[in-house]
Amino acid sequence: MSGVLHRRLALLRWQYGALPADSLVAALSRQEFPGRIALVSSFGAESAVLLHMIAAVDRGLDVVFLDTGKLFGETLRYRDRLIDRLGLTNVRTITPDPAALAARDSDGTLWSKNPDACCAMRKVETLARALAPYDAWFNGRKAFQGGARAGLDTIEIADGRFKINPLAGWTRTDIDRYFADHDLPPHPLVPDGYLSIGCMPCTTRVTPGEDQRAGRWRGTPKTECGIHLPSLKPAA
Protein backbone atom coordinates (compact mmCIF):
# COMPACT_ATOMS: atom_id res chain seq x y z
CA MET A 1 0.00 0.00 0.00
CA SER A 2 1.46 3.35 -0.99
CA GLY A 3 1.90 6.09 1.58
CA VAL A 4 -0.67 8.26 -0.19
CA LEU A 5 -3.29 5.50 -0.14
CA HIS A 6 -2.51 4.67 3.46
CA ARG A 7 -3.00 8.28 4.54
CA ARG A 8 -6.24 8.58 2.63
CA LEU A 9 -7.50 5.32 4.10
CA ALA A 10 -6.83 6.64 7.60
CA LEU A 11 -8.65 9.88 6.77
CA LEU A 12 -11.65 8.09 5.26
CA ARG A 13 -11.94 5.83 8.28
CA TRP A 14 -11.75 8.83 10.61
CA GLN A 15 -14.34 10.83 8.66
CA TYR A 16 -16.80 8.11 7.68
CA GLY A 17 -15.97 4.84 9.40
CA ALA A 18 -18.56 5.25 12.16
CA LEU A 19 -21.42 6.37 9.92
CA PRO A 20 -24.56 4.26 9.55
CA ALA A 21 -24.52 2.19 6.39
CA ASP A 22 -26.90 4.37 4.38
CA SER A 23 -25.05 7.56 5.32
CA LEU A 24 -21.73 5.95 4.41
CA VAL A 25 -23.07 4.95 1.00
CA ALA A 26 -24.32 8.49 0.37
CA ALA A 27 -21.14 10.23 1.53
CA LEU A 28 -18.69 8.10 -0.39
CA SER A 29 -20.68 7.96 -3.62
CA ARG A 30 -21.52 11.70 -3.64
CA GLN A 31 -18.59 13.39 -1.93
CA GLU A 32 -15.48 11.21 -2.13
CA PHE A 33 -15.79 9.14 -5.30
CA PRO A 34 -18.46 10.68 -7.56
CA GLY A 35 -18.47 8.76 -10.85
CA ARG A 36 -15.57 6.61 -9.66
CA ILE A 37 -17.32 4.07 -7.41
CA ALA A 38 -19.47 1.03 -8.14
CA LEU A 39 -21.44 -1.54 -6.19
CA VAL A 40 -20.47 -5.13 -6.91
CA SER A 41 -23.55 -7.24 -6.21
CA SER A 42 -24.21 -10.95 -6.53
CA PHE A 43 -27.99 -10.39 -6.29
CA GLY A 44 -27.83 -13.12 -3.69
CA ALA A 45 -29.55 -13.90 -0.42
CA GLU A 46 -28.91 -10.54 1.30
CA SER A 47 -28.08 -8.31 -1.66
CA ALA A 48 -31.36 -6.40 -1.70
CA VAL A 49 -30.33 -4.42 1.39
CA LEU A 50 -27.36 -2.68 -0.16
CA LEU A 51 -29.06 -2.39 -3.54
CA HIS A 52 -31.95 -0.61 -1.82
CA MET A 53 -29.53 1.81 -0.13
CA ILE A 54 -27.80 2.53 -3.42
CA ALA A 55 -31.13 3.16 -5.16
CA ALA A 56 -32.08 5.67 -2.45
CA VAL A 57 -28.89 7.64 -3.14
CA ASP A 58 -28.56 7.31 -6.93
CA ARG A 59 -30.49 4.86 -9.08
CA GLY A 60 -27.94 5.42 -11.82
CA LEU A 61 -24.90 4.47 -9.77
CA ASP A 62 -22.90 1.73 -11.46
CA VAL A 63 -23.82 -1.76 -10.27
CA VAL A 64 -21.59 -4.62 -11.44
CA PHE A 65 -23.15 -8.08 -11.59
CA LEU A 66 -20.84 -10.98 -12.36
CA ASP A 67 -22.55 -13.74 -14.35
CA THR A 68 -20.16 -16.68 -14.21
CA GLY A 69 -22.23 -18.81 -16.57
CA LYS A 70 -22.89 -21.19 -13.66
CA LEU A 71 -25.50 -19.23 -11.70
CA PHE A 72 -28.94 -20.43 -10.68
CA GLY A 73 -31.73 -19.33 -12.99
CA GLU A 74 -33.47 -18.05 -9.86
CA THR A 75 -30.61 -15.60 -9.31
CA LEU A 76 -30.88 -14.20 -12.82
CA ARG A 77 -34.62 -13.74 -12.45
CA TYR A 78 -34.17 -12.18 -9.01
CA ARG A 79 -31.68 -9.72 -10.52
CA ASP A 80 -34.27 -8.64 -13.08
CA ARG A 81 -36.97 -8.37 -10.42
CA LEU A 82 -34.84 -6.17 -8.13
CA ILE A 83 -33.72 -3.95 -11.00
CA ASP A 84 -37.36 -3.29 -11.83
CA ARG A 85 -38.48 -2.96 -8.21
CA LEU A 86 -35.72 -0.53 -7.20
CA GLY A 87 -35.56 1.39 -10.47
CA LEU A 88 -31.86 0.74 -10.99
CA THR A 89 -30.74 2.14 -14.33
CA ASN A 90 -27.10 1.14 -14.67
CA VAL A 91 -26.64 -2.54 -13.82
CA ARG A 92 -23.79 -3.99 -15.87
CA THR A 93 -23.76 -7.76 -16.28
CA ILE A 94 -20.20 -8.93 -16.91
CA THR A 95 -19.12 -12.38 -18.06
CA PRO A 96 -15.85 -14.35 -18.24
CA ASP A 97 -13.55 -14.01 -21.23
CA PRO A 98 -14.77 -16.51 -23.87
CA ALA A 99 -11.20 -17.23 -24.97
CA ALA A 100 -10.20 -18.11 -21.41
CA LEU A 101 -13.22 -20.39 -21.05
CA ALA A 102 -12.41 -22.16 -24.31
CA ALA A 103 -8.77 -22.64 -23.35
CA ARG A 104 -9.15 -23.58 -19.68
CA ASP A 105 -12.66 -24.96 -19.23
CA SER A 106 -13.87 -26.10 -22.62
CA ASP A 107 -16.20 -28.76 -21.19
CA GLY A 108 -17.47 -26.61 -18.29
CA THR A 109 -16.35 -29.05 -15.56
CA LEU A 110 -13.36 -27.20 -14.11
CA TRP A 111 -15.43 -26.45 -10.99
CA SER A 112 -15.43 -30.16 -10.09
CA LYS A 113 -11.69 -30.65 -10.59
CA ASN A 114 -10.16 -27.39 -9.41
CA PRO A 115 -12.68 -24.97 -7.88
CA ASP A 116 -9.98 -22.39 -7.11
CA ALA A 117 -8.96 -22.27 -10.75
CA CYS A 118 -12.59 -22.06 -11.82
CA CYS A 119 -13.29 -19.15 -9.47
CA ALA A 120 -10.10 -17.40 -10.50
CA MET A 121 -11.08 -17.48 -14.17
CA ARG A 122 -14.82 -16.94 -13.91
CA LYS A 123 -14.83 -14.47 -11.00
CA VAL A 124 -11.48 -12.99 -9.96
CA GLU A 125 -10.09 -12.18 -13.40
CA THR A 126 -13.48 -11.06 -14.73
CA LEU A 127 -14.11 -8.69 -11.84
CA ALA A 128 -10.58 -7.28 -11.98
CA ARG A 129 -11.23 -6.16 -15.55
CA ALA A 130 -14.61 -4.69 -14.64
CA LEU A 131 -13.23 -2.69 -11.71
CA ALA A 132 -10.36 -1.15 -13.67
CA PRO A 133 -12.15 2.23 -14.21
CA TYR A 134 -13.03 2.71 -10.53
CA ASP A 135 -11.21 4.08 -7.50
CA ALA A 136 -13.53 2.36 -5.01
CA TRP A 137 -16.28 -0.23 -4.75
CA PHE A 138 -19.03 -1.25 -2.37
CA ASN A 139 -19.70 -4.86 -1.45
CA GLY A 140 -22.02 -6.60 0.99
CA ARG A 141 -19.74 -8.63 3.27
CA LYS A 142 -20.53 -8.78 7.01
CA ALA A 143 -18.32 -9.77 9.92
CA PHE A 144 -20.97 -12.13 11.32
CA GLN A 145 -20.49 -14.38 8.28
CA GLY A 146 -17.32 -15.55 9.99
CA GLY A 147 -14.17 -17.07 8.57
CA ALA A 148 -12.01 -14.54 6.74
CA ARG A 149 -14.80 -11.99 7.23
CA ALA A 150 -14.60 -11.85 11.02
CA GLY A 151 -13.22 -8.53 12.22
CA LEU A 152 -14.05 -6.90 8.89
CA ASP A 153 -13.30 -3.17 8.59
CA THR A 154 -15.83 -0.81 7.06
CA ILE A 155 -13.24 0.73 4.73
CA GLU A 156 -10.25 -1.20 3.36
CA ILE A 157 -7.79 -1.10 0.50
CA ALA A 158 -7.38 -4.05 -1.84
CA ASP A 159 -5.43 -4.18 -5.10
CA GLY A 160 -4.86 -0.44 -5.11
CA ARG A 161 -8.46 0.70 -4.68
CA PHE A 162 -10.77 1.39 -1.77
CA LYS A 163 -13.10 -1.42 -0.79
CA ILE A 164 -16.16 -0.34 1.15
CA ASN A 165 -18.13 -2.71 3.39
CA PRO A 166 -21.13 -0.66 4.60
CA LEU A 167 -22.75 -3.67 6.31
CA ALA A 168 -19.59 -4.92 8.03
CA GLY A 169 -21.03 -4.49 11.52
CA TRP A 170 -24.57 -5.66 10.76
CA THR A 171 -26.10 -8.75 12.35
CA ARG A 172 -28.48 -11.33 10.95
CA THR A 173 -31.25 -9.54 12.85
CA ASP A 174 -30.32 -6.22 11.23
CA ILE A 175 -30.60 -7.79 7.78
CA ASP A 176 -33.98 -9.38 8.52
CA ARG A 177 -35.32 -6.15 9.99
CA TYR A 178 -34.25 -4.13 6.95
CA PHE A 179 -35.97 -6.58 4.59
CA ALA A 180 -39.16 -6.32 6.65
CA ASP A 181 -39.06 -2.53 7.11
CA HIS A 182 -38.65 -1.93 3.38
CA ASP A 183 -40.79 -4.83 2.16
CA LEU A 184 -37.95 -6.26 0.10
CA PRO A 185 -38.55 -9.55 -1.71
CA PRO A 186 -36.32 -12.45 -0.64
CA HIS A 187 -34.18 -14.38 -3.08
CA PRO A 188 -36.46 -17.26 -4.16
CA LEU A 189 -33.93 -19.88 -3.00
CA VAL A 190 -33.71 -18.59 0.58
CA PRO A 191 -36.98 -20.18 1.76
CA ASP A 192 -35.66 -23.47 0.36
CA GLY A 193 -32.61 -23.41 2.65
CA TYR A 194 -30.02 -21.68 0.50
CA LEU A 195 -28.65 -18.99 2.81
CA SER A 196 -25.53 -18.07 0.81
CA ILE A 197 -25.95 -18.35 -2.93
CA GLY A 198 -23.18 -18.60 -5.50
CA CYS A 199 -22.73 -20.79 -8.55
CA MET A 200 -25.18 -23.66 -8.86
CA PRO A 201 -22.68 -26.59 -8.88
CA CYS A 202 -20.90 -25.28 -5.76
CA THR A 203 -23.89 -24.26 -3.62
CA THR A 204 -26.03 -26.50 -1.41
CA ARG A 205 -28.74 -26.00 1.18
CA VAL A 206 -27.79 -25.14 4.76
CA THR A 207 -29.32 -27.25 7.50
CA PRO A 208 -30.54 -25.77 10.81
CA GLY A 209 -27.64 -24.96 13.11
CA GLU A 210 -25.04 -24.80 10.35
CA ASP A 211 -23.00 -21.71 9.52
CA GLN A 212 -24.68 -19.45 6.96
CA ARG A 213 -21.97 -20.16 4.38
CA ALA A 214 -21.70 -23.89 5.07
CA GLY A 215 -23.39 -24.64 1.76
CA ARG A 216 -20.62 -23.04 -0.31
CA TRP A 217 -18.06 -25.51 -1.71
CA ARG A 218 -19.34 -28.13 0.72
CA GLY A 219 -16.89 -30.91 1.49
CA THR A 220 -13.83 -28.82 0.63
CA PRO A 221 -11.66 -26.44 2.70
CA LYS A 222 -12.57 -23.61 0.33
CA THR A 223 -14.60 -20.79 1.91
CA GLU A 224 -14.09 -17.84 -0.47
CA CYS A 225 -14.17 -17.52 -4.25
CA GLY A 226 -11.05 -15.34 -4.24
CA ILE A 227 -12.57 -11.94 -4.96
CA HIS A 228 -12.12 -11.08 -1.29
CA LEU A 229 -8.69 -12.70 -0.94
CA PRO A 230 -6.23 -10.11 -2.28
CA SER A 231 -3.29 -12.50 -2.15
CA LEU A 232 -4.99 -15.00 -4.47
CA LYS A 233 -3.56 -14.87 -8.00
CA PRO A 234 -5.46 -15.98 -11.10
CA ALA A 235 -4.84 -19.66 -11.67
CA ALA A 236 -3.38 -21.03 -14.87
Side-chain angles (χ1 to χ4, degrees), residues 70 105 107-119 122 199-202 217:
K70 298 289 185 181
D105 192 16
D107 63 357
T109 63
L110 183 60
W111 65 269
S112 65
K113 295 173 284 191
N114 190 337
D116 281 338
C118 186
C119 285
R122 292 179 181 272
C199 291
M200 182 170 60
C202 299
W217 305 286

Side-chain angles (χ1 to χ4, degrees), residues 1-13 28 33 131 134-139 141 151-165 227-231:
M1 185 190 308
S2 74
V4 172
L5 284 178
H6 181 79
R7 288 190 293 274
R8 191 174 186 194
L9 175 62
L11 181 60
L12 289 173
R13 285 177 172 173
L28 294 188
F33 303 105
L131 287 178
Y134 302 104
D135 295 330
W137 57 293
F138 296 113
N139 73 95
R141 290 180 301 159
L152 188 66
D153 284 316
T154 304
I155 305 174
E156 307 173 298
I157 287 179
D159 300 319
R161 66 176 53 83
F162 294 94
K163 187 174 183 181
I164 318 300
N165 313 303
I227 286 173
H228 300 299
L229 297 175
S231 62

Side-chain angles (χ1 to χ4, degrees), residues 1 5 15 34-36 38 49-50 55-58 61 72 83 88 93 104 128 138 145 169 178 199 204 215 222:
M1 185 190 308
L5 284 178
Q15 288 180 297
R36 301 288 296 174
V49 170
L50 201 46
V57 172
D58 179 4
L61 190 134
F72 288 91
I83 289 172
L88 299 168
T93 296
R104 292 149 60 185
F138 296 113
Q145 293 169 325
Y178 195 96
C199 291
T204 60
K222 184 175 175 64

